Amino acid sequence: MVSIRHSGHCPQEASAKKTLVKETRARAEGGDGEAMWLLGKWYQGGVNGLAIDAVQSRAWLERSAAARNPAGLATFGCCLLQGIGGPQDNALGLVSVTEAAGLGSEVGAFLLGQAFFGGLYGLSRDPARARYWLKKAFDGECTHKHLSDEVLANAARWLRALESSGE
């Protein structure tokens, strides 16, 4: 992921951020799914001078998902499952994260593992499926790595819980 290190509020940094956003937006508008995902994440977190805007974030993530970007599919699926930036839609959310996981997204794999672990979003609790997807996310089997260390730690903790309970 492209990022600018934050070191204060100097004019050069603000100019660099504007340029980065402008270039990324141009790539996104040209059909680049990765750039669409970046814009979605930046609006989600208020990064690179963009204001936090859940609706704008979801719109860019939806476009990224439509472009079949694995990170975009997973993150858009998360928005759908949690109702971020628009209505909750568990069915389409699960389809999106499943597609993302199938394309090698560790976020997609984690979200499926979490859903099966807790019996979330209308899915039954299924320890075997939870273990399968959490292991994919945690063991580095996924080709698209975009999980935080904190989320990876959760996956490891849930895997240990499944193994210690014999499920």
Side-chain angles (χ1 to χ4, degrees):
M1 173 148 89
V2 178
S3 66
I4 302 279
R5 190 169 26 149
H6 182 68
S7 61
H9 297 291
C10 67
Q12 295 89 355
E13 183 178 335
S15 176
K17 286 180 181 181
K18 280 184 181 179
T19 300
L20 178 62
V21 170
K22 182 179 177 182
E23 290 171 355
T24 303
R25 188 177 307 276
R27 288 191 356 253
E29 289 172 352
D32 183 328
E34 176 81 9
M36 295 171 194
W37 174 71
L38 284 171
L39 285 173
K41 291 298 289 178
W42 293 348
Y43 275 112
Q44 191 174 63
V47 176
N48 290 327
L50 297 175
I52 292 175
D53 186 333
V55 173
Q56 190 72 263
S57 171
R58 182 168 167 155
W60 280 111
L61 294 170
E62 183 173 16
R63 288 178 70 181
S64 180
R68 308 274 306 140
N69 176 273
L73 274 162
T75 312
F76 178 59
C78 185
C79 288
L80 290 166
L81 293 171
Q82 297 179 9
I84 298 169
Q88 186 173 358
D89 184 339
N90 289 347
L92 185 55
L94 287 170
V95 168
S96 293
V97 299
T98 302
E99 286 183 76
L103 291 171
S105 163
E106 67 182 5
V107 169
F110 172 79
L111 289 169
L112 281 176
Q114 177 188 45
F116 283 119
F117 182 82
L120 304 174
Y121 313 118
L123 294 177
S124 299
R125 189 175 187 290
D126 187 328
R129 283 192 171 97
R131 187 180 308 102
Y132 174 82
W133 288 111
L134 291 170
K135 198 167 178 42
K136 273 196 165 306
F138 181 72
D139 286 350
E141 291 182 38
C142 296
T143 54
H144 300 279
K145 301 181 184 317
H146 46 116
L147 275 179
S148 70
D149 291 340
E150 179 184 342
V151 174
L152 284 170
N154 283 339
R157 188 173 65 249
W158 294 340
L159 278 169
R160 283 191 303 272
L162 287 167
E163 289 166 5
S164 68
S165 70
E167 294 187 272

